[in-house]
């Protein structure tokens, strides 16, 4: 239970910014922690738990993003979804700029940026969660920031 | 020095994941390069916005998760929920106990004395009758006349 209380807000924040959708984030957080409690005896240390939680949340978020893409590609409710997200009270307080910026980033850039900037994970932890190397994380974060910088300039002009 | 190379180092520097030895050359490039200055200032701005972007954990999610965990633990391997009242389980246990005693008693009654004697003859042994026990000695400890050694 200590791990749940320690990481729940961070995992929720990660999912909110990955999905840009509060209800979707709640569903993912719920699934992640239910799976965590079912496998709780498998974990040996604090780092392992933290990485496992973010890895699991990331995979579930990517699945959800992929499923939404399918709905949009089927000529579905892309606009309705966007409207639903805009009316979400969770986002009325958050800076519109951040939402738009993250929304325009590809998922593989968004995940490293959110893990680092919103959740403060170290490069080593991100590498473990994404099954990659520290130097790949370093490079991907730079590219994510570069693209974020270009999107920002396009939307709002120079800083 | 290539701008991408410098910006990758500046990005890692912002995350405190770059050693100071590597950053000096990147910083001296930064002073004279507008493109890298733009990159760095946006990265710093984003860093600050992200740190301020706090959100509270949704009310009711704790309860929803603990309710679902509780439900999962009462679910068997097939995924069905078994809702059996405690008194039914207790009664079933008592009935099983009574039935097992009854079966044991019936088997004992049905075992015929002749069958017991046939078994005793088949196995070479010396039998001492007594009350209430019956002791069976193996044949190896009898002498040639059949008396006990
Ligand atoms: Zn430059």
């Amino acid at each position: 239970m200590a791990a749940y209380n320690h990481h729940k807000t961070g995992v929720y924040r990660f999912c909110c910014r990955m999905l840009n959708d509060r209800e979707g984030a709640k569903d993912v957080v719920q699934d992640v922690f239910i799976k965590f409690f079912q496998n709780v005896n498998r974990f040996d240390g604090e780092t392992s738990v933290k990485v496992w939680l973010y890895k699991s949340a990331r995979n579930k978020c990517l699945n959800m993003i992929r499923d939404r893409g399918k709905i949009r590609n089927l000529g579905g409710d892309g606009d309705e979804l966007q409207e639903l997200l805009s009316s979400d009270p969770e986002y009325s307080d958050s800076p519109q700029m951040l939402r738009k910026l993250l929304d325009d980033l590809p998922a593989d850039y968004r995940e490293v940026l959110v893990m680092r900037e919103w959740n403060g994970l170290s490069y080593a932890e991100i590498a473990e969660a994404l099954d990659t190397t520290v130097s790949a994380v370093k490079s991907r974060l730079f590219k994510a920031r570069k693209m974020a910088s270009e999107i920002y300039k396009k939307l709002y002009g120079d800083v | 020095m290539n701008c991408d190379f410098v910006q990758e180092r500046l990005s890692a520097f912002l995350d405190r994941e770059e050693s100071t030895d590597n950053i000096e050359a990147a910083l001296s490039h930064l002073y004279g390069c507008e493109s890298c200055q733009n990159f760095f200032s946006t990265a710093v701005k984003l860093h600050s916005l992200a740190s301020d972007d706090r959100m509270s954990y949704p009310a009711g999610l704790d309860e929803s998760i603990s309710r679902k965990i509780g439900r999962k633990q009462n679910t068997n391997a097939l995924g069905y929920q078994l809702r059996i009242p405690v008194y039914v389980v207790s009664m079933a246990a008592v009935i099983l106990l009574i039935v097992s005693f009854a079966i044991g008693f019936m088997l004992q009654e049905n075992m015929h004395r002749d069958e017991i004697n046939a078994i005793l003859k088949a196995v070479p042994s010396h039998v001492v009758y007594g009350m209430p026990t019956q002791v069976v000695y193996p044949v190896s400890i009898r002498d040639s006349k059949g008396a006990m050694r």
Side-chain angles (χ1 to χ4, degrees):
Chain A
M1 212 60 190
Y4 170 72
N5 287 326
H6 193 252
H7 295 295
K8 63 180 187 180
T9 310
V11 174
Y12 174 67
R13 179 197 273 220
F14 171 77
C15 297
C16 274
R17 290 299 165 251
M18 271 302 280
L19 298 169
N20 219 352
D21 162 26
R22 189 188 177 198
E23 286 307 312
K26 277 161 76 174
D27 289 345
V28 171
V29 168
Q30 196 161 271
D31 288 353
V32 166
F33 280 105
I34 287 170
K35 201 172 160 200
F36 167 71
F37 283 117
Q38 285 170 340
N39 296 285
V40 78
N41 297 327
R42 273 182 36 206
F43 301 100
D44 47 10
E46 175 57 23
T47 312
S48 156
V49 169
K50 187 177 178 184
V51 169
W52 187 91
L53 290 171
Y54 281 95
K55 188 177 196 166
S56 175
R58 175 251 186 179
N59 291 338
K60 286 179 192 299
C61 285
L62 290 181
N63 287 341
M64 201 174 262
I65 290 167
R66 201 175 44 227
D67 292 345
R68 281 177 184 172
K70 279 181 198 159
I71 293 170
R72 282 179 188 166
N73 290 341
L74 286 169
D77 52 355
D79 291 340
E80 282 170 36
L81 182 70
Q82 208 52 48
E83 252 174 53
L84 189 79
L85 300 183
S86 311
S87 63
D88 192 326
E90 172 71 19
Y91 293 104
S92 56
D93 299 335
S94 71
Q96 194 74 15
M97 187 275 265
L98 279 180
R99 292 180 54 198
K100 179 73 190 139
L101 200 145
L102 288 176
D103 229 15
D104 286 355
L105 277 179
D108 56 337
Y109 286 175
R110 201 185 316 155
E111 64 189 13
V112 281
L113 201 62
V114 175
M115 277 184 187
R116 177 61 222 172
E117 294 288 35
W118 273 262
N119 295 105
L121 265 65
S122 69
Y123 282 17
E125 286 168 337
I126 299 173
E128 210 181 326
L130 304 184
D131 283 325
T132 187
T133 61
V134 168
S135 66
V137 170
K138 185 177 170 182
S139 164
R140 215 199 288 182
L141 255 170
F142 148 64
K143 287 173 184 162
R145 285 186 167 123
K146 194 174 174 76
M147 188 180 258
S149 165
E150 282 158 10
I151 294 168
Y152 186 93
K153 238 195 287 180
K154 214 189 291 176
L155 292 170
Y156 305 99
D158 286 334
V159 181
Chain B
M1 200 180 244
N2 177 302
C3 285
D4 279 357
F5 180 82
V6 170
Q7 287 170 15
E8 189 172 320
R9 259 131 208 90
L10 291 172
S11 165
F13 175 65
L14 196 63
D15 296 329
R16 296 177 188 174
E17 298 260 2
E18 185 67 60
S19 79
T20 43
D21 301 342
N22 294 341
I23 202 67
E24 278 178 23
L27 287 175
S28 61
H29 170 99
L30 179 70
Y31 290 124
C33 177
E34 201 182 334
S35 163
C36 287
Q37 283 170 12
N38 280 336
F39 168 82
F40 195 59
S41 55
T42 319
V44 170
K45 168 115 183 147
L46 183 67
H47 182 76
S48 138
L49 285 169
S51 335
D52 292 343
D53 184 29
R54 302 271 153 195
M55 59 198 79
S56 49
Y57 197 65
L61 199 50
D62 284 341
E63 200 198 329
S64 167
I65 290 173
S66 64
R67 206 173 44 234
K68 287 200 174 165
I69 294 163
R71 200 181 298 161
K72 287 262 179 202
Q73 282 169 349
N74 290 334
T75 302
N76 69 11
L78 293 172
Y80 297 119
Q81 270 191 39
L82 299 173
R83 291 175 180 274
I84 304 171
V86 174
Y87 71 88
V88 174
V89 178
S90 313
M91 273 172 64
V94 171
I95 290 168
L96 265 175
L97 196 69
I98 293 168
V99 168
S100 63
F101 269 110
I103 291 170
F105 183 74
M106 280 160 64
L107 284 176
Q108 194 188 23
E109 285 294 295
N110 288 344
M111 208 172 199
H112 205 271
R113 179 59 62 183
D114 290 344
E115 288 172 22
I116 297 171
N117 288 336
I119 294 166
L120 289 175
K121 271 180 194 161
V123 181
S125 59
H126 184 85
V127 179
V128 178
Y129 292 99
M131 289 297 285
T133 54
Q134 184 183 58
V135 183
V136 179
Y137 289 100
V139 71
S140 58
I141 61 167
R142 288 184 300 171
D143 61 18
S144 54
K145 289 171 188 167
M148 290 292 292
R149 253 187 285 168

